[in-house]
């Protein structure tokens, strides 16, 4: 029987408990065999606005996030492909890697408004069912054929987490011990003054 897979792409700079909660909920609610957390190589819509942690470091953090979590996979296909990370290319890759699988592209509701700016966005719905994960503060109407999924509302963001880490705040509620260990071992998100 062909697999039913979730594809949850992101910068994951850094990954946090909110990411984990929503993918676990989506996996259960949609009856998915697995959810692949696809780490962007070059998140082209972000790299001009701010520096992004290396792809290798972000992949290691996602690997720490999903370690021991059944059916959750840290996927490096965009890193291996190199260059700018485009969702359409990733879905094509999944079609080759998992022939016959039903793909569910999982995106946060905060991404709905800008979705039309994604590379070849009009083709994405042909390759995957688009499932929008609710997020606090966002209520955009969804295009026809898209599905909304209620998931745990975890008020965390990678931006806020980076700021907290740079200040030296306790972030134990936001990230797992394994992720925090990797962050510290790799010397990530430290204040430039303290580095």
């Amino acid at each position: 029987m062909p697999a039913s897979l979730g594809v949850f792409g992101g910068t994951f700079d850094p990954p946090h408990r909110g990411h984990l909660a929503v993918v676990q909920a989506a996996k259960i609610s949609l009856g998915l065999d697995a959810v692949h957390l696809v780490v962007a190589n070059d998140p082209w819509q972000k790299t001009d606005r701010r520096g992004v942690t290396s792809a290798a470091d972000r992949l290691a953090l996602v690997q720490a996030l999903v370690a021991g979590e059944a059916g959750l996979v840290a996927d490096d296909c965009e890193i291996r492909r190199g260059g700018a990370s485009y969702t359409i290319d990733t879905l094509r890759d999944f079609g080759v890697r998992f022939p016959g699988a039903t793909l569910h592209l999982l995106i946060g509701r905060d991404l709905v408004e800008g979705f039309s700016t994604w590379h070849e966005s009009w083709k994405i719905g042909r390759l995957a069912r688009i499932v929008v994960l609710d997020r606090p503060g966002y209520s955009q109407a969804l295009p026809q054929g898209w599905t909304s999924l209620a998931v745990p509302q975890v008020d965390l963001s990678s931006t806020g987490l980076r700021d907290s880490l740079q200040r030296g705040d306790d972030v134990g509620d936001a990230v797992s011990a394994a992720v925090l260990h990797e962050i510290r071992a790799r010397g990530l998100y430290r204040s430039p003054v303290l580095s």
Side-chain angles (χ1 to χ4, degrees):
M1 182 168 153
S4 184
L5 302 176
V7 180
F8 184 67
T11 307
F12 302 111
D13 195 13
H16 51 69
R17 291 188 191 275
H19 293 125
L20 187 59
V22 298
V23 295
Q24 287 173 326
K27 182 178 178 296
I28 292 167
S29 296
L30 299 171
L32 302 174
D33 295 304
V35 177
H36 289 244
L37 286 80
V38 180
V39 180
N41 180 59
D42 173 8
W44 61 277
Q45 290 191 325
K46 293 182 179 179
T47 49
D48 287 345
R49 291 182 291 172
R50 68 169 179 85
V52 175
T53 304
S54 80
D57 283 334
R58 291 181 289 108
L59 176 62
L61 297 180
V62 173
Q63 289 168 334
L65 179 76
V66 301
E69 298 289 340
L72 300 185
V73 178
D75 197 306
D76 67 349
C77 68
E78 292 185 354
I79 297 169
R80 285 184 285 109
R81 191 169 58 241
S85 296
Y86 298 124
T87 300
I88 190 70
D89 294 337
T90 299
L91 293 174
R92 288 175 179 137
D93 177 70
F94 268 74
V96 171
R97 288 166 56 198
F98 305 101
T102 301
L103 302 179
H104 303 260
L105 177 64
L106 310 175
I107 67 170
R109 190 170 288 266
D110 56 315
L111 300 178
V112 171
E113 187 175 338
F115 187 84
S116 64
T117 67
W118 292 20
H119 183 69
E120 297 183 20
S121 62
W122 64 94
K123 296 181 182 177
I124 291 173
R126 298 177 195 164
L127 300 179
R129 176 181 175 207
I130 300 174
V131 180
V132 177
L133 309 175
D134 287 332
R135 187 161 177 181
Y138 296 90
S139 59
Q140 291 87 354
L142 301 183
Q144 185 175 357
W146 292 23
T147 304
S148 179
L149 181 65
V151 292
Q153 300 297 303
V154 181
D155 191 18
L156 289 172
S157 74
S158 293
T159 301
L161 186 51
R162 284 192 307 273
D163 293 344
S164 293
L165 287 161
Q166 284 186 343
R167 289 191 304 266
D169 297 345
D170 178 6
V171 295
D173 291 339
V175 297
S176 68
V179 171
L180 188 56
H181 172 79
E182 281 296 322
I183 288 171
R184 289 181 174 155
R186 293 168 179 272
L188 302 174
Y189 314 114
R190 294 184 301 189
S191 168
V193 175
L194 301 175
S195 297

